[in-house]
Amino acid sequence: MGALIFPKSYKDHLGAKVPAIRFEALEIGTGRTAAELKGTPTGNTVWLPMPQGGHKTSYQQGWSEESSHKAGLSSFLSGIMNSTKKSQGQDGSDTGGGAGEDIKQNTGTIDWAGVLGESAKSAAGIGGLTGRVLAQSFMAYSGPGYRSHSFEFSLKPESEDDSTEIENIVKFFKENSAPEQMKVSKLARIYKVPNVFEITFHPNAGLHRIKPSALETIEVKYGGEKYNIFKDGQMPVQVDISLNFKELEILNKADVVGGF
């Protein structure tokens, strides 16, 4: 397939004169998992001009707001369950006396029935001014997430060659993001992992780098706002492509320092 460029007239101008994004398909070796991805370049690429709206990315860290209410209630109920088990024999019969004392040791002399009742009222929005504040919020860190990247291109051909190039570009993304079916049995279908993509900006001064990424979804809209075709060749006068990628490695501080 080689290099596909839109518009084809940009062939000698992509880069410094026309900021562009380059997508190259990477083949994953047989037997490798997504965590071991060291793709082999296929040499098949697509060059598209940087969207007029530019490009943005986000670095999501796993900070979330938690509440001590749930943890405290869980600990309280666990104390009740443990003390109840202690007060029963192995055959389930009541051995007497242990439960009440164990609960008091686990929970102290707090009026838990009152606290839980007021907590329920507070959660329902009907707590009074004397209601106890049982929950204390805090921030918890669960680690970074995988970065996602989205691109939207509105391709308007100026010639029949441009229309053919757009058709080939759509095929490029569809074919490389689709898995190859290796085997079918009564119980399962076995697929070869589809190709992933190396995405680079040209020029890349002041921009970030992107790790190898899987194409999660591709959306194609034909014909523009109101579907129209050319008289010659009857190809659509506009093709809009939306691409949603997800990086296959989680970034750490060293990656960020390195320009990702």
Side-chain angles (χ1 to χ4, degrees):
M1 186 175 288
L4 300 172
I5 301 172
F6 180 85
K8 294 192 73 172
S9 59
Y10 282 13
K11 183 175 182 179
D12 299 324
H13 303 287
L14 289 173
K17 294 183 179 179
V18 181
I21 305 177
R22 177 180 181 268
F23 302 89
E24 180 170 14
L26 305 177
E27 184 177 7
I28 306 305
T30 303
R32 289 187 176 271
T33 66
E36 304 171 325
L37 291 179
K38 298 295 181 184
T40 302
T42 62
N44 296 323
T45 62
V46 161
W47 291 77
L48 293 170
M50 178 73 80
Q52 290 186 353
H55 171 68
K56 67 177 181 180
T57 189
S58 61
Y59 296 79
Q60 297 184 2
Q61 301 297 337
W63 288 101
S64 60
E65 185 175 344
E66 302 290 344
S67 171
S68 62
H69 173 84
K70 186 179 295 184
L73 180 57
S74 175
S75 176
F76 171 66
L77 294 178
S78 177
I80 293 178
M81 294 301 293
N82 289 336
S83 63
T84 301
K85 290 178 181 177
K86 290 179 183 178
S87 68
Q88 293 179 342
Q90 293 185 355
D91 60 354
S93 62
D94 190 352
T95 60
E101 291 300 319
D102 285 346
I103 291 174
K104 184 179 290 186
Q105 290 177 8
N106 277 299
T107 63
T109 58
I110 297 174
D111 175 16
W112 280 101
V115 170
L116 294 177
E118 290 179 13
S119 176
K121 289 181 181 179
S122 177
I126 58 176
L129 293 176
T130 59
R132 296 183 178 92
V133 178
L134 184 63
Q136 179 179 352
S137 63
F138 59 92
M139 295 298 291
Y141 183 65
S142 59
Y146 291 92
R147 224 174 20 162
S148 297
H149 301 281
S150 298
F151 303 91
E152 294 187 0
F153 301 97
S154 183
L155 310 181
K156 300 177 181 178
E158 298 177 354
S159 65
E160 188 171 348
D161 282 347
D162 277 350
S163 292
T164 301
E165 196 80 341
I166 291 173
E167 187 177 18
N168 290 331
I169 287 172
V170 172
K171 286 181 180 179
F172 168 86
F173 287 113
K174 287 166 56 179
E175 291 177 2
N176 282 286
S177 62
E180 179 182 348
Q181 186 169 295
M182 305 293 290
K183 184 179 179 181
V184 179
S185 69
K186 293 182 179 180
L187 298 178
R189 293 183 176 88
I190 299 176
Y191 295 99
K192 179 184 177 183
V193 176
N195 290 345
V196 296
F197 297 83
E198 183 175 67
I199 306 169
T200 51
F201 300 106
H202 299 266
N204 66 346
L207 298 176
H208 63 92
R209 295 158 60 196
I210 300 178
K211 287 182 176 288
S213 302
L215 180 52
E216 291 191 297
T217 59
I218 170 174
E219 295 183 5
V220 186
K221 179 182 177 184
Y222 299 94
E225 293 298 322
K226 184 178 180 181
Y227 186 79
N228 281 301
I229 59 175
F230 291 107
K231 291 181 180 179
D232 299 333
Q234 300 182 345
M235 299 287 278
V237 299
Q238 180 175 330
V239 177
D240 299 323
I241 303 175
S242 296
L243 306 171
N244 297 301
F245 294 90
K246 181 163 287 186
E247 286 182 319
L248 296 168
E249 297 180 42
I250 292 179
L251 300 184
N252 55 40
K253 183 174 288 188
D255 293 321
V256 176
V257 171
F260 286 94

